[in-house]
Structure formats: C-alpha cells, structure tokens
Amino acid sequence: MSVVIAIDGPAASGKGTLAKRAALAFGFAHLDTGSLYRAVGMAVLRAGMDPSDAEAAARAAWDLHPEDGILDDPALRTDEAAQAASKVAAVPAVREALLEFQRRFASTPPGDAPGAVLDGRDIGTVVCPSADAKLFVTASVEVRADRRLKELRGRGIPAIPSDVLEDMKARDARDSQRAVAPLRPAADAFVLDTSALDAEQAFAEAIGFIGSKTGLSPRGLKPRA
Ligand code: CDP
C-alpha cells in the first residue's frame, strides 16, 4: 500500500516547492496535478479554441497522455497556461477525465516508490480523500502575488504588480467558486499559513506534520524514534 500525501492550496502559496521537497525527503514520487490542467488548457489554446468551451476542453482532457512527457513543456509555466488551466478546470468532464491518472499515480507511484505526494486544489477532498496526511498551504493574496511577481521577474518575464495581483484574485475566485471540486481545505487537513514563513520554516512545519501522521522519518521509511 502506497503512502499518500495530499497538498492543496491556492496559487503561489508555495505548495509546489513544498510538495517537491517533501517527496524527496521521504523518497516518494511527486505529481504536480496543476500541470495536468495547464497541459489541457494549452492544448485547447493551441487548437485555436476557447478554454471556457466545455466540449473542446473535455476533448483535450481525454486526449491527454501525461506519460508522454507533455508535463515538462516549459510553455506550461506561463501565465497564459495558468489562466487557461483555471478555465478548463471548472469543466466537470475535464476533472473526471484527469481523475484516473491521478488516482493511479497515488496508488501505484512510478519507479516503485513507497509513496506519492500529489499537490493541487482538490487532492485531499476529491482525488485522495483517504490520504495519510493532508496539508492545505495558504498565504494572503498580497503575499502570494508578491511571490509570483518575484518568480516571473526571476525568469526574466516583465510583470506589472497590479496585473499580477488582479490575475491572482481572478484565479482565486474561479478556483474557489466553481461548482465542482472547489478549492477548500479538507476537514482533516492541517492548514499551514505561510504568509509570515520562509520556505525553510514552511518545510519544517510540513515535514513535522507528515512525520506525525505517517510515523515515517524524513530520510526514509524508518519509524520515528
Ligand atoms: O502553480 P499554481 O498554483 O499557480 O497553479 P497550478 O497548481 O499549476 O494550477 C493551475 C490551475 O489548475 C489552478 O488555478 C486550478 O484552476 C487548476 N487546478 C485544479 O483545478 N485542480 C488541481 N488539482 C490542480 C490545479
């Protein structure tokens, strides 16, 4: 039985970095489920269609083969892809099409890993409701917009602070108000507000929580002393 860690939260909350580091620390496989929605959003845009077009989005989702390396496409990291992702993500048929791949990843992680860390918006509530440990990573919208701004500028992408903040608010609204699998913490999730924490502090909190829920120590599968 694979150990499953669910990490959810809004955009730029730091959940992706946290998930990656936690997977490494415990020797688990990691799936950034946002990249699935980004890939579907980009596929729709590339086909010259509108990401809000439910039929086009559903078709792109059923046609997606994440095993083919498509999730590594750098174009998925753009803001254009993020906005398209949050539109296709509101389509129930898209979520349904992506469900099986995510659940399979959790139950039989690639590389025979003993566990999987999945990060997204609905991992603890819908995809893996019986995950061994659930984290909901969040931060104020201003802090998150600031982090995203630094990330964009670090990648040499010019960005206007007020635009980044508005985009963040628009995506938050779409993600938390949609009818299907809206962004919200699971009842049994540990809510980690990183507004006043740096990456190291957030990581230490997360690792401590995962260790306490699974009985695993960060460096492997030894039980905690
Ligand atoms: O990295 P960032 O937090 O900005 O975004 P992401 O995690 O790559 O997700 C992009 C978009 O996909 C989100 O705004 C959500 O609308 C959607 N998404 C989702 O609906 N469910 C998930 N499990 C993951 C992402």
Side-chain angles (χ1 to χ4, degrees):
M1 272 286 275
S2 165
V3 177
V4 179
I5 312 297
I7 304 189
D8 291 304
S13 56
K15 67 183 186 312
T17 309
L18 237 164
K20 218 174 289 161
R21 289 187 67 186
L24 209 61
F26 288 99
F28 293 170
H30 169 229
L31 178 64
D32 162 12
T33 65
S35 64
L36 297 169
Y37 293 91
R38 286 169 181 262
V40 173
M42 278 314 283
V44 175
L45 289 178
R46 283 173 177 155
M49 308 287 284
D50 177 357
S52 303
D53 176 339
E55 226 168 276
R59 213 173 316 119
W62 287 113
D63 282 348
L64 190 77
H65 297 289
E67 301 87 354
D68 296 348
I70 175 82
L71 304 185
D72 300 324
D73 181 353
L76 300 191
R77 306 322 320 160
T78 60
D79 211 51
E80 187 192 18
Q83 294 295 336
S86 78
K87 289 177 186 158
V88 301
V91 177
V94 168
R95 307 201 71 85
E96 198 193 315
L98 300 179
L99 200 54
E100 193 195 323
F101 176 79
Q102 297 175 81
R103 288 196 173 144
R104 202 173 343 109
F105 189 101
S107 61
T108 48
D112 275 336
V117 180
L118 281 77
D119 77 81
R121 299 289 189 285
D122 62 338
I123 309 304
T125 51
V126 175
V127 179
C128 303
S130 52
D132 299 273
K134 299 179 187 177
L135 273 149
F136 190 86
V137 186
T138 187
S140 72
V141 70
E142 289 79 14
V143 167
R144 291 185 287 112
D146 197 50
R147 286 180 189 159
R148 182 50 49 94
L149 190 69
K150 289 197 181 110
E151 181 199 328
L152 290 170
R153 289 183 172 164
R155 294 191 348 234
I157 301 168
I160 301 163
S162 55
D163 286 357
V164 174
L165 182 63
E166 284 319 303
D167 282 357
M168 191 73 68
K169 285 182 178 166
R171 202 139 65 92
D172 277 0
R174 263 201 301 273
D175 287 353
S176 47
Q177 287 161 21
R178 68 182 174 220
V180 54
L183 172 70
R184 61 172 175 81
D188 52 350
F190 171 56
V191 178
L192 179 59
D193 187 332
T194 67
S195 300
L197 302 181
D198 64 25
E200 282 315 314
Q201 291 167 323
F203 180 63
E205 290 258 0
I207 286 294
F209 173 72
I210 295 169
S212 73
K213 292 297 276 189
T214 61
L216 300 174
S217 67
R219 269 187 226 123
L221 293 172
K222 294 181 270 98
R224 273 152 61 92

